[in-house]
Amino acid sequence: NAGVMQNPRHLVRRRGQEARLRCSPMKGHSHVYWYRQLPEEGLKFMVYLQKENIIDESGMPKERFSAEFPKEGPSILRIQQVVRGDSAAYFCASSPPRFLAGVYEQFFGPGTRLTVL
Amino acid sequence: AQKVTQAQTEISVVEKEDVTLDCVYETRDTTYYLFWYKQPPSGELVFLIRRNSFDEQNEISGRYSWNFQKSTSSFNFTITASQVVDSAVYFCALSEAIGDDKIIFGKGTRLHILP
């Protein structure tokens, strides 16, 4: 059973370009979470999605950032017009539906390291 | 509001010494989960432990042990007989048991094990 997959693992963009980060949850998991880790910081929650629904986006910057988790395919975190301050590691986590797990747990992917030049 | 504080930013110990990483949390929930994660230099996040708020038993796993004290809202992590491979950043984290499940992380403690 493959773990959470993220790609690319490293992404370099110039200021003003778009960044697309992909997350494939573990098989059977319908919940996806995105976290951002700025240099020398802990992880900060960004957004929580279920298939085709955004459940909580309280941690998302108001502009330039968006996330989706379509019925088919991976979850995408999209950053438009990137700036240097977007340079960070972006982690995705997935979890199964609550009713299938007596205790929920989030499984983390390896992260995507975004560098904005 | 939920909050996790790891007061120790950086710790250095000599190999084979014991070391304790402190974690203090704040939450108004009566039911919650506490976690520890390890982030080695390679950058991935390694899950170490999850603790339910109703289970205050201390846990030991090999050289690792955890001390959960609800009375002081602390969830400290001890590495016994440290090894160089233990060098990493360690994060303590908290999540509601009921709700939107987001995990609140502390800022981490960078642990250096010196040979």
Side-chain angles (χ1 to χ4, degrees), chain B:
Chain B
Q2 297 178 319
K3 187 179 176 183
V4 176
T5 301
Q6 294 180 255
Q8 304 148 309
T9 306
E10 202 157 344
I11 300 175
S12 294
V13 300
V14 176
E15 198 173 15
K16 295 186 183 149
E17 286 185 356
D18 299 347
V19 58
T20 295
L21 309 183
D22 297 333
C23 173
V24 174
Y25 62 92
E26 292 176 33
T27 180
R28 282 178 287 194
D29 298 317
T30 54
T31 307
Y32 50 88
Y33 292 108
L34 295 165
F35 306 81
W36 276 94
Y37 290 88
K38 173 182 179 180
Q39 188 173 45
S42 50
E44 75 272 22
L45 216 56
V46 178
F47 168 82
L48 295 178
I49 190 171
R50 177 187 64 243
R51 210 30 151 197
N52 183 300
S53 55
F54 293 118
D55 183 1
E56 282 194 76
Q57 280 193 345
N58 291 332
E59 176 137 352
I60 298 174
S61 176
R63 296 183 297 107
Y64 295 170
S65 62
W66 291 269
N67 185 335
F68 177 25
Q69 302 254 350
K70 265 176 117 165
S71 59
T72 56
S73 297
S74 65
F75 187 43
N76 296 338
F77 172 34
T78 298
I79 302 175
T80 304
S82 60
Q83 299 176 1
V84 172
V85 292
D86 295 328
S87 297
V89 180
Y90 291 85
F91 293 100
C92 181
L94 166 72
S95 178
E96 294 178 354
I98 300 169
D100 60 14
D101 301 345
K102 64 187 173 196
I103 297 179
I104 309 298
F105 285 82
K107 291 196 172 182
T109 297
R110 185 174 296 276
L111 178 63
H112 300 278
I113 308 297
L114 308 171

Side-chain angles (χ1 to χ4, degrees), chain A residues 3-109:
Chain A
V4 178
M5 313 271 285
Q6 289 188 250
N7 67 81
R9 295 292 305 277
H10 299 273
L11 182 61
V12 179
R13 285 288 177 265
R14 295 192 180 280
R15 279 180 298 170
Q17 291 183 321
E18 178 179 286
R20 279 185 180 239
L21 287 62
R22 292 174 187 76
C23 169
S24 296
M26 288 179 70
K27 188 176 181 181
H29 287 193
S30 56
H31 299 203
V32 164
Y33 311 78
W34 286 95
Y35 294 82
R36 177 165 68 172
Q37 184 181 24
L38 294 170
E40 306 301 320
E41 294 276 327
L43 279 73
K44 292 246 168 66
F45 167 79
M46 298 180 76
V47 62
Y48 163 37
L49 309 106
Q50 293 179 17
K51 288 278 187 182
E52 300 183 284
N53 279 311
I54 296 175
I55 306 302
D56 180 357
E57 56 182 348
S58 58
M60 287 279 268
K62 295 288 181 252
E63 297 176 347
R64 302 188 297 106
F65 285 71
S66 62
E68 62 176 8
F69 187 17
K71 190 176 179 182
E72 302 290 337
S75 175
I76 307 283
L77 180 67
R78 183 180 176 210
I79 311 172
Q80 294 178 289
Q81 298 174 325
V82 295
V83 300
R84 289 222 172 100
D86 297 332
S87 295
Y90 292 83
F91 287 90
C92 166
S94 74
S95 69
R98 276 293 182 98
F99 63 86
L100 289 182
V103 173
Y104 99 95
E105 182 170 346
Q106 291 183 23
F107 296 81
F108 280 84

